[in-house]
Amino acid sequence: MDSTMSVSKGCFAFKRKKKNQGPSSARFSGQLWYKAYRKSLASCEELLSILENQIFDEVFGGLIDYINACTSVKIHYEIPAATLLTGVNMPDHSSLFATLSKKIVCDCSPHVATLWSRDCSSLKASVERMCSQFMLVPSSEEADDPSCDDEEDGGPDSQDKKKIQRWNCNLKYLVSWYSNFQVHTSPKKKKKGNKAAPKSGGDAKPLIVILPDFESFSPRVLQEFILLLKGYQPKLPFVLVLGVATAVSAVHRSLPYHVSSSLRMKVFHSQPSLAYLNEVLEKVLFLPNRPFHLGGKTFKLLMDVFLFHDFSVMGFIQGYKYCMSQHFFDKDWTALSCLPEELPTAAKQLTKSDIESIRKLPSVRKHIESLSSRADQIAWLKDDNYVKEETVKLLEELHKYIAEFFASLKCLNLMTADLPGAPLEKHLRSVYVLASTCDIVKSQELKDSMKLLSLLSSDELEIKLNAMLCILNEAVENGAERLKDVTNKIDGFLPRFKTLWLPSSPSKSLRSPCKRPAKGVKSPLQSPSKILTNINSRSQFREKLKEMKDVSSYLSPFEKLRNEVLACLLENLFTAFLAPPQTKPLHELLFFDDIPAVKSYIVGSQRQAMLRGLKDPHFYLDCACCKLSDLGDILPSLPDVSIVYKLHLESGKLINMFDWMQSFLTITNPSTSFEEQTEVDPKLQARFTRAVAELQFLGFIKSSNRKTDHVTRLTWC
Amino acid sequence: MVSSPDIPDVLCRHQEVMQLVSLLGHPGESVPQSIFLTGHKSSGKSYTLMKVLDSLNIRYASVNCVEGYMPRLLFESILSQIVGETVPPSARCENIMEFILQLKIIADNHDLHESVIAVVLEGSDRLRDMNPNLLPALMRLQELSCLKKVCVILLSDVLWDKFAPSGGLPPPIQIYFPQYSQNDILKILSLDKPKDYPADFHSNYLQLFVAVFLRSCRDITELRYKAAENFSKYCEPIERGEIDINDSGKLWKHISPHLKASLQMIYMRFETGKKIATEVDSGTSMDKHSTLSSSAKYALSFELPYYAKYLIIAAFLASYNSPKEDKKLFVKLSGRNKKKVLKKNAQTKISSLVMGPRQFDLERLLAIFYSIIEEKPHISVNLLTQITSLVELQLLQKAGSDPLEAPKYKCAVGFDFIIIIAKTLSFNVTKYLVDYK
């Protein structure tokens, strides 16, 4: 701070130094786990962004065509209003509309303004915001310069610009700006040639106003705003884009008829967020070749948050990413959470302590115990290099297992999804939760659905088998060799379906069913008298009848085939490949299932946090002085609120303020141990009063009308 | 009386035109300070006035008072229009004094003392909500600016009586634009006659059209829009050659369902390309849920998260039951008391379902929420943000204004909506409603 050495007193302004790129990332950047984490995150984000683009393209395609059409045809008096029904997943909307606005800039018109309801409490504010967004758009020379973003805190230059224009932020000025803009840009277009050519739909590009959260606008502002825009429609070609979360009728409910009749609406639907999530699951989370998977419990937690709370795909993805960071954080051995090709190099980098922590993993211990030869066990415990080699082997095995697991899970879902009543859940996501938390093969649900499956018609079965074959073949191509066996078997079944109904065979197939039932019927028919004579009791009779029924149940060739197919599937596919991940050694490396670590972060619970803070301030403050051996202890070094809170726990429904303060004083000021401190240190009294006020603000106490110097306690544990 | 070529011809507004011309159209005579044109929405006020002003070659400035959220904009707009320049003026004009001053300067510069200047203020009812001095000052603009030929013309669909000036204003000259009669409407609509069809064919159509629409709408712009929209449908079978052009009976049969459907969508303008599709949709869905009210359809049209549904039901119960009954309704093992209450209320009170929602606070909402939901979710941030997002969706309303006080809410959806929501959860709401019979 040499530069402030000055004779005169004064204030010195320093320009803030440019921040380094994220101090936290710099600190971790060298570490193994961080590299693995970055890699995993990057690949996940890449997949997500591809998916996002693809989905947004579907939604926005029609909308952008419509906007372009609006510019070419201008005969109507109304303002064109593209209404995008977005669904109630509010947190996702901001990114949706940010993408939309970028896309419009690219494809339709450089004039885009996004008005959020929080900025538009009055007509004045909304008009100013709209105009400033239009006019601050970098004009064509600046547009080529990517650094020229109109961020909140740009250089002094842009702020200067803003000041001037804030005064001029009205529609009158916008009209003249717009006509200038048209004049300026139109000759340039010709010079620029090919670059501007695709951009220019018509001569006059429309001014697009996006209102992402239509419902939260105050109706009055909205009405006036639309009327105002309508007044300028002949001079300024406005196009509105309304983001409506609920239904189109919401627009008509908040606008009176003379306003709504000045909008020409066209409705677009965005994809329901549930469909979006299914896509995300299928294309990102459930891909077998990922180094990181969510365990069943964590996955269920995230799904519950999604389904029960907010329908927000963004929230889901954030939760997923958080789980990922938690999985990797500060654990170097997680460097092994990578693709199988990279395993050997990752294993080489492990240190002794990393190996030690791998040994400590519960699944590894189980694995060691299960080893048969003593020598192997000792090698596992002593020889680091041996452990490295074995881990790599095991992990490669695990990767294969995952590929098989997902493929067979998909097959199972395919078989059971459309069963009546869906005993095994309809969606892949729920089947995944089931399969990865318990042994699905032994579950009652699977048994039920197998029963239902044994009633399938041949057509349905054939279609399903074909679809299954596709999935399996794909999986085999991707390296799950062990599935090859089942695939071949299923492949072998398919031609038999064809021969079942071939016209050449009916003679045989017709005859055989004719004959056999005849036999089946005859034999019991002949015998009943004989059998019945041997029967002495009713129970015996019942058993006999059952036997006869079993004998008489005749299976057609198709039924036989069906049973065979189902048995084969159950045996060779589901039982073989659907063991839950927990049974595999080293599953902790690829599956994250540590719910307690993430739950409090993903599902924030403010009351719990508050109570925890009051009971155990050390948890948040992390200072040595507040460390409690027992949560009931009260130390003088605790924050005042915490002391007051702990004292109030000891009292009944009404709390005497004076007694309360006395006990507070004995704790904070134990040196002066009078019987009763009549002369109270005003500082201490003030601290006490403030703490009580804070407690009241937090809702633990309130003043009582019954007794003047008492307060009422509001919570009980 | 007045030389006829100057008088513009406005259909069905001859009398009003004559009145305006007699007030403004005599260059030698003085001009009234202010004229007040009133009449229903789209009864041709602005159109007539503009025609008259144009034909009389009067210099005028026309502004819409919606823009008056800042009076500055009104003033500057008026000034620039009088001068006749399109770019916004460089000089600022913040208040009425500066406005009058600049008006004088302009009059001096452009030598306007002897020619009539009209200042047209559309939607002038908005002036009442602005600065209380603004309206009186504008109405006396002639007097204040000492320009003898300035006339302020106010347009509004509110009667002058409703302007209720507290200080008392000299009443302006009022011209009332009555609503168009059926014949007027027919005349005006027949102006839009397409070229390819004979006049009596079109007027036949208009007769049918007006008979259906006139009861619910007299807004001439809306009628014109609807007439044009439906005419193409009317002509469709003729173009396809299915119905003869003179077979009006068959044509009526063909068009009447379209007209009825179109009447349902009045004042809602959907894109014409998709129009047919949406109409077919709405037609089929109307058959399906013809018994459902509009709010029920609203409820069916979007999906809410699971807890949000329970929250909105809890909000409804909190809004339509009085807090006194809560204990009887929601505390288990008090069945006998409940029945008593039911009987007593049925006799004495008006059902609270008709009374509109009451306010309730957050704690009560959560308490009811936890008593009607079977599983007990943690009070988490996610759950509480659901309440905010319900407010954002306008399914709940925030009532308390004090941010420190416990927030208060009101349920903004009706019984039909809740019934639908509850059905998706297979939850019996009526069990918890005291007043439901």
Side-chain angles (χ1 to χ4, degrees):
Chain A
M1 291 283 146
D2 296 333
S3 50
T4 54
M5 297 289 275
S6 159
V7 188
S8 63
K9 284 183 181 179
C11 295
F12 299 91
F14 286 97
K15 271 195 181 169
R16 216 188 334 174
K17 276 176 195 163
K18 270 201 175 173
K19 270 188 188 171
N20 291 334
Q21 277 207 329
S24 54
S25 64
R27 185 161 18 121
F28 298 139
S29 59
Q31 296 181 10
L32 276 182
W33 66 263
Y34 186 73
K35 282 180 194 161
Y37 166 65
R38 291 301 309 177
K39 206 180 262 174
S40 168
L41 188 69
S43 73
C44 158
E45 273 175 348
E46 192 189 327
L47 284 173
L48 281 174
S49 70
I50 292 172
L51 184 65
E52 196 175 54
N53 282 337
Q54 183 192 333
I55 284 175
F56 285 169
D57 274 353
E58 283 170 28
V59 179
F60 297 151
L63 210 153
I64 284 176
D65 288 346
Y66 173 70
I67 293 174
N68 279 330
C70 285
T71 45
S72 49
V73 190
K74 271 199 302 176
I75 33 166
H76 299 280
Y77 303 106
E78 310 100 338
I79 308 172
T83 310
L84 183 62
L85 295 181
T86 49
V88 296
N89 47 334
M90 319 292 269
D92 298 2
H93 290 177
S94 52
S95 75
L96 179 82
F97 283 100
T99 324
L100 176 63
S101 110
K102 264 183 217 150
K103 222 170 158 50
I104 291 177
V105 170
C106 289
D107 294 351
C108 306
S109 152
H111 317 297
V112 181
T114 310
L115 298 181
W116 291 91
S117 59
R118 54 173 180 266
D119 305 323
C120 303
S121 49
S122 67
L123 181 63
K124 185 179 167 200
S126 10
V127 172
E128 268 173 12
R129 193 152 267 272
M130 180 186 74
C131 295
S132 66
Q133 284 187 48
F134 281 138
M135 294 191 283
L136 275 180
V137 164
S139 55
S140 49
E141 308 99 77
E142 289 164 309
D144 298 347
D145 185 9
S147 66
C148 191
D149 267 355
D150 45 8
E151 290 283 307
E152 282 297 314
D153 45 358
D157 203 39
S158 79
Q159 257 176 14
D160 203 32
K161 219 185 199 175
K162 235 179 196 171
K163 232 181 211 167
I164 298 166
Q165 280 169 345
R166 190 175 158 70
W167 176 248
N168 287 321
C169 279
N170 54 53
L171 285 165
K172 271 256 127 54
Y173 197 83
L174 191 66
V175 171
S176 66
W177 170 84
Y178 186 69
S179 54
N180 274 343
F181 193 90
Q182 293 303 330
V183 171
H184 277 297
T185 46
S186 45
K188 236 169 221 170
K189 258 182 225 158
K190 281 167 201 160
K191 276 181 213 162
K192 271 191 177 177
N194 56 1
K195 203 184 170 190
K199 275 188 186 180
S200 56
D203 269 346
K205 287 176 190 163
L207 298 163
I208 290 147
V209 185
I210 305 178
L211 310 176
D213 44 352
F214 184 84
E215 276 98 342
S216 357
F217 275 89
S218 97
R220 198 183 147 77
V221 171
L222 210 56
Q223 285 163 29
E224 293 185 344
F225 185 67
I226 291 173
L227 284 180
L228 193 62
L229 292 195
K230 196 198 171 194
Y232 281 92
Q233 183 70 7
K235 292 176 210 158
L236 301 169
F238 284 110
V239 176
L240 287 176
V241 177
L242 310 176
V244 179
T246 52
V248 188
S249 57
V251 177
H252 298 295
R253 290 205 307 178
S254 58
L255 298 178
Y257 75 83
H258 68 279
V259 181
S260 78
S261 69
S262 59
L263 290 180
R264 185 157 44 91
M265 296 213 291
K266 175 145 186 172
V267 182
F268 297 91
H269 293 267
S270 74
Q271 205 171 14
S273 56
L274 206 57
Y276 183 15
L277 184 80
N278 283 342
E279 292 261 304
V280 168
L281 292 184
E282 194 180 316
K283 304 232 167 103
V284 182
L285 259 67
F286 288 165
L287 282 186
N289 57 346
R290 314 256 326 127
F292 171 78
H293 295 274
L294 281 182
K297 285 181 217 149
T298 336
F299 180 73
K300 189 167 186 316
L301 173 75
L302 288 178
M303 273 319 294
D304 283 353
V305 171
F306 177 85
L307 289 177
F308 290 130
H309 288 105
D310 52 5
F311 280 164
S312 161
V313 181
M314 284 305 143
F316 184 88
I317 292 173
Q318 292 303 335
Y320 175 71
K321 284 182 185 163
Y322 184 77
C323 287
M324 193 189 280
S325 71
Q326 198 67 24
H327 173 72
F328 285 98
F329 183 72
D330 219 11
K331 287 171 274 194
D332 268 345
W333 46 269
T334 52
L336 288 175
S337 306
C338 58
L339 296 177
E341 307 85 91
E342 298 154 352
L343 269 174
T345 45
K348 265 179 210 157
Q349 291 171 314
L350 292 183
T351 62
K352 208 169 172 54
S353 63
D354 299 334
I355 303 274
E356 198 50 44
S357 35
I358 287 178
R359 274 191 199 121
K360 278 183 191 158
L361 290 175
S363 70
V364 175
R365 291 182 154 212
K366 226 191 251 170
H367 176 69
I368 296 175
E369 278 162 22
S370 69
L371 286 174
S372 51
S373 85
R374 186 116 185 98
D376 282 350
Q377 284 187 348
I378 291 171
W380 257 104
L381 293 174
K382 302 274 167 167
D383 187 356
D384 284 356
N385 284 328
Y386 178 76
V387 173
K388 276 182 192 174
E389 282 167 24
E390 279 298 300
T391 338
V392 170
K393 269 186 210 161
L394 281 177
L395 279 175
E396 275 168 357
E397 193 64 21
L398 194 58
H399 274 290
K400 275 183 197 160
Y401 153 77
I402 289 171
E404 291 149 12
F405 178 78
F406 278 115
S408 36
L409 199 65
K410 272 179 198 161
C411 291
L412 177 62
N413 181 240
L414 189 83
M415 290 296 282
T416 57
D418 49 359
L419 288 181
L424 205 62
E425 307 290 349
K426 262 185 182 159
H427 301 287
L428 187 59
R429 46 173 201 262
S430 342
V431 187
Y432 175 70
V433 170
L434 209 63
S436 57
T437 45
C438 63
D439 196 352
I440 197 169
V441 182
K442 286 180 188 135
S443 68
Q444 187 58 40
E445 288 92 338
L446 186 70
K447 280 174 195 158
D448 288 348
S449 28
M450 284 318 268
K451 263 183 213 161
L452 287 172
L453 279 176
S454 61
L455 299 173
L456 275 184
S457 76
S458 80
D459 294 349
E460 284 174 308
L461 193 59
E462 209 179 336
I463 292 168
K464 284 187 174 181
L465 284 181
N466 271 323
M468 211 183 255
L469 214 54
C470 288
I471 298 175
L472 289 175
N473 275 329
E474 197 180 326
V476 169
E477 270 170 37
N478 289 337
E481 286 103 359
R482 272 176 298 184
L483 285 172
K484 192 126 195 165
D485 215 19
V486 199
T487 320
N488 289 338
K489 273 188 187 165
I490 295 175
D491 218 5
F493 284 128
L494 280 172
R496 286 171 63 186
F497 276 96
K498 299 240 163 61
T499 52
L500 269 184
W501 316 105
L502 271 185
S504 63
S505 60
S507 52
K508 279 181 203 167
S509 58
L510 273 180
R511 218 176 286 160
S512 53
C514 285
K515 271 183 191 170
R516 271 204 220 156
K519 269 184 200 167
V521 175
K522 258 181 199 170
S523 58
L525 269 181
Q526 280 174 347
S527 50
S529 52
K530 278 182 201 169
I531 297 166
L532 289 179
T533 47
N534 296 338
I535 285 170
N536 301 324
S537 70
R538 199 172 273 190
S539 60
Q540 249 180 337
F541 178 63
R542 199 182 290 160
E543 263 169 46
K544 278 282 174 215
L545 280 182
K546 256 187 199 169
E547 269 175 40
M548 283 161 65
K549 199 182 156 202
D550 284 347
V551 173
S552 64
S553 69
Y554 153 73
L555 295 177
S556 76
F558 162 62
E559 281 166 337
K560 267 187 184 170
L561 179 59
R562 182 170 62 193
N563 287 350
E564 210 177 314
V565 169
L566 290 181
C568 164
L569 284 180
L570 187 64
E571 180 92 356
N572 295 326
L573 190 65
F574 301 150
T575 317
F577 298 111
L578 279 180
Q582 292 94 306
T583 56
K584 303 288 167 188
L586 282 175
H587 69 87
E588 289 96 337
L589 276 174
L590 301 186
F591 286 86
F592 177 79
D593 215 0
D594 189 6
I595 278 205
V598 290
K599 190 167 183 182
S600 59
Y601 298 99
I602 290 172
V603 188
S605 167
Q606 66 281 62
R607 287 195 193 190
Q608 227 170 352
M610 194 163 73
L611 282 180
R612 176 159 222 170
L614 289 170
K615 265 185 195 154
D616 183 15
H618 172 71
F619 184 81
Y620 292 111
L621 296 177
D622 214 20
C623 56
C625 58
C626 295
K627 210 161 191 178
L628 299 175
S629 51
D630 177 44
L631 281 183
D633 288 355
I634 310 176
L635 300 178
S637 58
L638 292 180
D640 292 343
V641 205
S642 177
I643 298 175
V644 169
Y645 167 77
K646 286 190 173 190
L647 288 172
H648 111 288
L649 289 179
E650 292 160 8
S651 56
K653 195 174 181 188
L654 287 174
I655 309 170
N656 185 325
M657 290 291 280
F658 186 74
D659 293 350
W660 199 5
M661 184 167 76
Q662 287 304 329
S663 34
F664 177 76
L665 292 181
T666 46
I667 286 169
T668 48
N669 199 9
S671 55
T672 54
S673 53
F674 294 109
E675 291 265 299
E676 279 214 331
Q677 299 180 352
T678 37
E679 288 284 310
V680 184
D681 180 8
K683 245 187 205 168
L684 282 178
Q685 192 177 356
R687 270 171 61 185
F688 173 72
T689 320
R690 193 177 69 177
V692 170
E694 278 169 4
L695 213 56
Q696 185 174 4
F697 180 70
L698 293 175
F700 287 95
I701 51 167
K702 70 172 186 185
S703 56
S704 155
N705 291 331
R706 247 184 253 169
K707 290 184 180 174
T708 43
D709 55 346
H710 283 62
V711 289
T712 318
R713 192 182 156 185
L714 294 174
T715 55
W716 281 272
C717 304
Chain B
M1 182 177 82
V2 189
S3 53
S4 51
D6 285 4
I7 303 174
D9 182 34
V10 182
L11 202 62
C12 313
R13 287 288 176 236
H14 187 68
Q15 200 185 341
E16 290 79 11
V17 170
M18 292 307 289
Q19 259 178 304
L20 280 172
V21 169
S22 68
L23 288 172
L24 299 168
H26 303 278
E29 291 172 26
S30 67
V31 170
Q33 278 215 29
S34 55
I35 305 175
F36 186 77
L37 304 190
T38 178
H40 213 267
K41 281 195 175 80
S42 61
S43 51
K45 298 180 295 286
S46 326
Y47 180 74
T48 313
L49 183 66
M50 292 308 151
K51 276 266 177 180
V52 171
L53 292 177
D54 281 337
S55 69
L56 294 176
N57 270 330
I58 291 175
R59 192 182 276 257
Y60 70 91
S62 160
V63 288
N64 193 334
C65 294
V66 186
E67 230 178 311
Y69 61 90
M70 282 197 294
R72 172 174 80 90
L73 295 177
L74 281 187
F75 298 144
E76 288 177 358
S77 176
I78 293 172
L79 290 176
S80 68
Q81 283 187 50
I82 290 175
V83 176
E85 59 192 2
T86 47
V87 280
S90 45
R92 286 183 184 185
C93 183
E94 284 281 7
N95 52 35
I96 189 80
M97 274 317 292
E98 285 178 39
F99 172 64
I100 289 169
L101 194 71
Q102 297 219 8
L103 193 62
K104 277 187 198 169
I105 295 172
I106 287 173
D108 289 339
N109 288 347
H110 290 77
D111 194 25
L112 294 176
H113 286 278
E114 288 310 315
S115 57
V116 179
I117 302 171
V119 176
V120 182
L121 299 169
E122 289 187 56
S124 57
D125 35 324
R126 276 171 212 278
L127 289 174
R128 295 177 298 175
D129 307 332
M130 294 179 213
N131 190 342
N133 291 331
L134 189 61
L135 180 63
L138 280 174
M139 291 190 59
R140 291 166 185 239
L141 196 58
Q142 200 177 81
E143 186 181 327
L144 294 172
S145 67
C146 305
L147 294 167
K148 275 176 276 170
K149 295 266 173 174
V150 167
C151 173
V152 174
I153 305 173
L154 303 163
L155 273 71
S156 171
D157 48 346
V158 179
L159 289 177
W160 175 250
D161 301 342
K162 300 274 177 188
F163 272 63
S166 55
L169 278 173
I173 295 173
Q174 295 180 42
I175 300 177
Y176 178 63
F177 281 64
Q179 255 184 5
Y180 291 116
S181 68
Q182 186 167 355
N183 282 334
D184 294 344
I185 289 176
L186 281 174
K187 263 187 223 163
I188 294 169
L189 289 182
S190 62
L191 290 179
D192 293 334
K193 185 189 85 66
K195 280 171 201 155
D196 342 352
Y197 290 94
D200 54 340
F201 173 73
H202 188 246
S203 72
N204 264 348
Y205 161 72
L206 288 180
Q207 291 281 1
L208 296 178
F209 172 79
V210 169
V212 173
F213 273 77
L214 196 65
R215 272 196 190 171
S216 44
C217 171
R218 278 178 186 255
D219 188 321
I220 198 74
T221 43
E222 187 64 24
L223 283 177
R224 275 177 70 180
Y225 174 78
K226 284 283 173 192
E229 186 187 76
N230 285 309
F231 186 67
S232 58
K233 283 214 191 78
Y234 187 70
C235 298
E236 256 172 31
I238 297 168
E239 275 161 27
R240 271 183 274 139
E242 285 167 12
I243 301 176
D244 187 61
I245 196 161
N246 294 319
D247 191 351
S248 52
K250 263 190 185 168
L251 282 172
W252 163 245
K253 258 187 198 158
H254 163 75
I255 194 68
S256 72
H258 286 292
L259 287 182
K260 267 176 200 157
S262 175
L263 190 62
Q264 292 281 328
M265 312 273 282
I266 199 160
Y267 297 122
M268 306 180 191
R269 302 199 174 173
F270 288 99
E271 188 61 20
T272 40
K274 209 170 176 182
K275 177 84 189 172
I276 301 151
T278 54
E279 230 171 28
V280 172
D281 282 352
S282 67
T284 50
S285 64
M286 276 228 281
D287 296 338
K288 244 190 270 166
H289 322 288
S290 52
T291 48
L292 294 178
S293 69
S294 64
S295 74
K297 272 182 220 147
Y298 180 59
L300 281 174
S301 57
F302 61 96
E303 181 77 3
L304 283 171
Y306 185 73
Y307 290 148
K309 284 182 183 172
Y310 271 107
L311 276 174
I312 189 85
I313 291 177
F316 181 79
L317 293 177
S319 266
Y320 288 94
N321 285 327
S322 92
K324 276 184 243 161
E325 323 283 3
D326 278 0
K327 201 176 168 195
K328 287 159 196 163
L329 286 173
F330 300 111
V331 176
K332 304 246 157 81
L333 305 170
S334 59
R336 253 181 70 225
N337 287 346
K338 195 174 126 192
K339 271 184 191 166
K340 252 189 212 164
V341 170
L342 271 172
K343 266 187 195 162
K344 217 169 77 188
N345 269 318
Q347 291 164 357
T348 52
K349 258 191 346 190
I350 316 164
S351 166
S352 61
L353 285 179
V354 247
M355 300 271 278
R358 291 196 197 95
Q359 285 182 15
F360 54 87
D361 53 12
L362 183 63
E363 298 293 326
R364 191 168 162 233
L365 174 69
L366 288 176
I368 295 179
F369 172 72
Y370 277 103
S371 72
I372 60 173
I373 198 165
E374 271 142 39
E375 64 264 44
K376 303 290 174 211
H378 276 294
I379 287 203
S380 62
V381 176
N382 294 351
L383 192 65
L384 293 179
T385 45
Q386 276 310 294
I387 298 176
T388 343
S389 70
L390 284 177
V391 172
E392 240 169 83
L393 294 174
Q394 291 193 333
L395 302 176
L396 288 185
Q397 266 171 5
K398 211 166 181 177
S401 55
D402 191 357
L404 275 181
E405 198 88 2
K408 291 199 168 161
Y409 300 96
K410 241 189 222 181
C411 182
V413 291
F415 185 61
D416 295 337
F417 187 96
I418 291 298
I419 286 285
I420 298 281
I421 293 278
K423 221 180 246 170
T424 60
L425 298 169
S426 53
F427 171 80
N428 186 3
V429 206
T430 51
K431 197 170 85 184
Y432 292 102
L433 279 171
V434 177
D435 291 336
Y436 184 74
K437 283 168 218 163

